[in-house]
Amino acid sequence: MSNGLEVYLCRLKKLSLNKNQIQMKKFYSLIAVALFVTVTSFGQFAAIPAQKTTRNASNEIQIPKLVNQSAARHVNPNNTASIIWSDDFSNASNWNTTHPIGTSDWVIGTNGPSGPFAIPAITSTTAANGFAMFDSDNLCDQTNGQIGDLTNATPINCTGHTAIRLNFQESYCRYWDSTLVFVSNNGTTWTRFDVNANLANNDYAGGGTASTGATVNPYNVSLNISSVAANQATVYIRFEFYSPTSLGPNAGCAYAWMVDDVVIEDAPTDDVAMEPGFLSPYTMIPLAQAIPVDLAGMITNNGGNPATNVGFNANVYLFQGGIGWSQVFNGSSATAPSLTVGSTTAALSAGLFNFTDTGVYAFEFISFMDAADGDGSNDTTLSYIIVDDSSYARDYQPISGNCDAWYGAPSGSTVAFGNMYDINAAATVKSVTFVHAFATLGGQIRADIYDVVGGAPNAIIASSPVYAYSVDDTSSQFYFILTLPLTTPVAVGPGQIFVSLTQVDPSGTMGENNMGLGFTDNVFTGASAFIQVDTDPFDSNENFGLIGVFAIRPNFDLNDRVISSDFTNGISIYPNPSNGKLYIHNSGQKDNLTVTVFNSLGQSVFFGTYSQMSTTVIDLTAQASGVYSVQVKSDKDVITKSVVISNK
């Protein structure tokens, strides 16, 4: 019996691999859907049949955009850079190409990638007169791997320049490769600078994924190379596409890296940059389970001078429909007294932040120092966490709107995939939601809840009924959201639980290729995702050579939600999610109530007044699917709750 796993290409192809060689492949969506930043937050509801939401343009649930919340950074308009050297690839003879491994080389011209999974050509400032490209996909060489170098032919004189940065425009999507810049002041000894190091497979530089397309094209890169090039007369720049076979069996056949408009200039004398932070291992948290998050971040000195009293301002905003964005925290971090050129601070903290209500939270960090900053473009980072009444998520699909890969099992094997979840307050798990694709008619699946012993899944404590795929599940939709209610809701916590999805068959064997479970790549949360193949013990993702989490989420009973007042306790709004019919139940003694429903833009789509209310029904089936806020007001009190409408 095979113990391999099926790793589904999002270009609708699959790859069978040994348990110890699990890899992800390229993401290519056959659906032309413009994806915004999305939230697919599906709360718990009463025991009803499994609920499915297919992915299409009409029911993507959008995180509202946070804009113009903070005052502009104080920057020095006179602290501008002067150009030392530049090249726009209009003359190919200015560059030398070599291939330390394989036979693939860079090319300079005006044609974009042409492989079977070609990404769009770079739209750089001077793309029309030429750009440099390493088209890994078109030159695919998984036998030898690929390393290709592109080096300026004539040395660059940087004499008299004490602070130098290298800028260039790029278009790049990662897939089992690295993009590197090397700098030398003698043509022999080279210093390495990593570019795009934080990207996961199928991620674009500057944002976006292979399924959604690049958010920014071209993306601007800036590297401080003063440590090598400052005051040197013979400076060389080398761009290296690095995808040797040592990176894995899928190396040597990536996407492409395109580079244009290379500039060496005087770096601003004073420039610090925020580094992306990691606030929480969860992208979606039930309010009752939320614990304070540490508002921590790090800052890098990209300027030519040492920086003093380096820190950041932290702003937290909460979005609720009908209210919009409101600031709920403002503070400053501790400071680093001095930061040398090219160095990064240790983690600095602006303190702990407590979640107090449901909604979308935006965390904005803005760096500062004593001197006026010469480049304000790298000072701010922004991240999101969704808080609702019942839903937990580790994967990034609620934020980014896509999954990086899809995992299933081959014929003859039973495989369970799942994540650990922290239970901070006693709760009742009623269902499991997951992001799903590639269903095969006749395939069967089941959601399971395990207790945890010694940091690993132990025994099943609750399960859903077996779910058999129907013809509708095998439609051409790229993926769908599926929620399976548990046969019997289970009380849990405090502690940990393990939530998994298993491919099953009553005969004891597996149907072939009958599911793909969504996966977020390169999320370092430490032994939180586990896989079980056949009867082997559960192994963490790291033991399988994978770093990431699965798009599988427990949903808690709405009665576990945080109650803030007697009025809140007396008003129930259900089900959540809903097909458009919402029930509002008033179990208290409040009369003269008004009900207003707002869409994600803050627009009122329903208003009603009730002199007396026991239970009333609001019909929103004519509204587009999305996140809505229901506001119930009495003469003295008000409650606002977010609900998900999925009526397609």
Side-chain angles (χ1 to χ4, degrees), residues 617-639:
V617 182
I618 295 175
D619 188 350
L620 300 176
T621 54
Q623 300 298 322
S625 297
V627 176
Y628 290 79
S629 292
V630 181
Q631 183 185 84
V632 183
K633 295 179 67 174
S634 70
D635 54 347
K636 294 181 180 179
D637 298 296
V638 61
I639 175 177

Side-chain angles (χ1 to χ4, degrees), residues 40 59 115 123 215 328 534 548 558 615:
T40 44
N59 63 18
T123 57
T215 303
V328 293
D534 295 326
L558 280 175
T615 299

Side-chain angles (χ1 to χ4, degrees), residues 65-205:
K65 188 176 182 180
L66 176 68
V67 294
N68 299 325
Q69 292 296 323
S70 301
R73 266 298 307 273
H74 172 54
V75 297
N76 183 355
N78 297 317
N79 196 353
T80 56
S82 59
I83 294 177
I84 302 169
W85 173 91
S86 66
D87 191 276
D88 62 4
F89 292 101
S90 58
N91 185 353
S93 65
N94 291 344
W95 298 86
N96 294 325
T97 62
T98 54
H99 48 265
I101 287 181
T103 61
S104 306
D105 273 324
W106 288 78
V107 296
I108 296 175
T110 58
N111 294 323
S114 57
F117 302 98
I119 62 176
I122 189 172
T123 57
S124 55
T125 307
T126 63
N129 66 12
F131 53 86
M133 175 179 65
F134 193 96
D135 192 358
S136 175
D137 185 45
N138 185 50
L139 304 170
C140 190
D141 186 353
Q142 291 181 288
T143 300
N144 301 301
Q146 297 171 326
I147 297 181
D149 290 343
L150 178 72
T151 310
N152 56 297
T154 304
I156 304 160
N157 187 356
C158 296
T159 303
H161 300 274
T162 59
I164 300 174
R165 67 181 179 187
L166 168 69
N167 298 330
F168 60 91
Q169 296 182 338
E170 68 168 348
S171 180
Y172 166 72
C173 189
R174 188 172 200 172
Y175 184 69
W176 295 106
D177 60 74
S178 293
T179 50
L180 310 172
V181 169
F182 290 87
V183 182
S184 174
N185 54 33
N186 57 20
T188 302
T189 304
W190 297 87
T191 299
R192 169 177 164 172
F193 296 83
D194 286 2
V195 183
N196 306 309
N198 294 327
L199 295 182
N201 282 332
N202 298 303
D203 281 355
Y204 269 99

Side-chain angles (χ1 to χ4, degrees), residues 1 414 532-538:
M1 181 175 291
T414 299
Q532 183 182 51
V533 180
D534 295 326
T535 58
D536 292 346
F538 274 101

Side-chain angles (χ1 to χ4, degrees), residues 409-430:
S411 179
S413 290
T414 299
V415 176
F417 308 91
N419 298 328
M420 294 288 188
Y421 284 92
D422 297 304
I423 307 301
N424 301 311
T428 301
V429 183
K430 297 189 72 176

Side-chain angles (χ1 to χ4, degrees), residues 596-616:
T596 311
V597 181
F598 300 92
N599 63 18
S600 63
L601 299 177
Q603 299 166 329
S604 174
V605 297
F606 176 88
F607 178 80
T609 60
Y610 305 87
S611 59
Q612 291 182 326
M613 176 197 290
S614 175
T615 299
T616 190

Side-chain angles (χ1 to χ4, degrees), residues 536-595:
D536 292 346
F538 274 101
D539 287 330
S540 70
N541 258 0
E542 286 86 343
N543 293 336
F544 277 79
L546 298 172
I547 301 295
V549 291
F550 295 104
I552 183 167
R553 311 149 187 169
N555 300 306
F556 298 154
D557 192 325
L558 280 175
N559 291 327
D560 298 327
R561 66 190 185 278
V562 174
I563 304 300
S564 59
S565 70
D566 291 339
F567 180 65
T568 301
N569 194 33
I571 299 294
S572 300
I573 303 171
Y574 60 92
N576 187 15
S578 166
N579 64 2
K581 292 290 184 67
L582 275 179
Y583 295 82
I584 301 178
H585 178 65
N586 176 20
S587 61
Q589 301 301 315
K590 293 290 185 179
D591 294 328
N592 299 318
L593 300 178
T594 63
V595 176

